[in-house]
Amino acid sequence: MSPGRLRLGRTAIEVCPLGLGTWAWGDRIVWGFGRGYGEPEVESAYRASRALGIDFFDTAEIYGRGRSERILGRLVREGTGPVVLATKFFPYPWRPYGGALVRALRGSLRRLGVARVDLYQIHWPFPPVSIETWMNGMADAVELGLTSAVGVSNFSVRQMERAHAALARRGVALASNQVEYSLLHRDPESSGLLQACRDLGVTLIAYSPI
């Protein structure tokens, strides 16, 4: 592994220790009326991040209903140097079948303007579709070459273990579990999630760390 880099799970993907989440890029841009901020501010934030060596960017299809993906994709295409792109699938109730995941990923790829992402994650473990069904969809996405690695987000210890086992049956590694984790929110420590990630070789990605 390169100095100063971290590996996502047991994959070959390496990232800088600090990544940038782009939820606000889609949901909090406000035009006019002197409120919020617009794409020029977002572009400045992106350039400043790249100048500091940040190359790991996380988005999701539900951030601004795809707007975050479109903005991030444009900035990546207009910029220089490689970046690690991660996005997320949201298991809406009207997506009651595994094939919906691959279809959603293709939509994300169109908005991002790339052939594949580095990391594709499922946003929440919502029923009624089973974790195993979604993980089969994730494995399909890997086999189709649409993503290099797969992860989960907001999964408990047991849910993560189920996801890990389901993917292992398809020969795919679970790379990450993205959860809220900070000095003020330390549930991953008390719940055993942090240790479970270590035991399974899964990288814990902290969101809202500050």
Side-chain angles (χ1 to χ4, degrees):
M1 187 165 57
S2 304
R5 308 284 288 174
L6 298 177
R7 184 167 292 161
L8 289 181
R10 291 174 176 156
T11 74
I13 300 172
E14 294 183 1
V15 299
C16 60
L18 178 65
L20 186 67
T22 63
W23 160 67
W25 293 15
D27 287 349
R28 295 187 63 185
I29 289 181
V30 182
W31 297 99
F33 307 110
R35 299 181 301 143
Y37 48 87
E39 289 196 33
E41 287 79 14
V42 167
E43 291 177 13
S44 295
Y46 178 82
R47 294 193 198 99
S49 299
R50 294 293 289 124
L52 291 170
I54 294 174
D55 64 357
F56 182 30
F57 294 87
D58 177 78
T59 185
E61 62 175 354
I62 66 168
Y63 294 168
R65 298 181 180 179
R67 188 176 189 186
S68 175
E69 289 179 325
R70 284 189 286 269
I71 294 171
L72 177 58
R74 177 177 63 80
L75 293 174
V76 169
R77 291 191 303 273
E78 293 175 355
T80 58
V83 301
V84 179
L85 284 177
T87 191
K88 295 184 283 295
F89 165 84
F90 199 88
Y92 291 111
W94 54 85
R95 288 173 162 173
Y97 49 92
L101 186 145
V102 169
R103 183 175 297 122
L105 175 51
R106 292 189 189 277
S108 289
L109 295 177
R110 285 193 297 271
R111 289 185 290 273
L112 287 163
V114 297
R116 73 175 177 181
V117 291
D118 298 288
L119 177 66
Y120 196 49
Q121 307 151 95
I122 184 166
H123 216 139
W124 292 89
F126 284 159
V129 179
S130 71
I131 290 172
E132 288 74 17
T133 296
W134 291 133
M135 291 308 108
N136 274 323
M138 287 288 202
D140 290 342
V142 172
E143 291 175 1
L144 289 167
L146 303 177
T147 184
S148 299
V150 295
V152 295
S153 181
N154 300 300
F155 274 47
S156 69
V157 172
R158 179 56 185 147
Q159 290 163 340
M160 182 179 68
E161 290 172 342
R162 287 175 58 186
H164 182 275
L167 287 169
R169 288 193 287 271
R170 295 282 301 273
V172 175
L174 178 64
S176 59
N177 188 0
Q178 184 178 154
V179 298
E180 185 175 2
Y181 186 29
S182 68
L183 289 175
L184 298 179
H185 186 92
R186 303 178 70 168
D187 286 0
E189 297 174 11
S190 58
S191 68
L193 181 64
L194 182 59
Q195 185 58 51
C197 285
R198 291 169 176 160
D199 294 341
L200 294 174
V202 174
T203 296
L204 189 151
I205 300 175
Y207 69 75
S208 300
I210 53 175

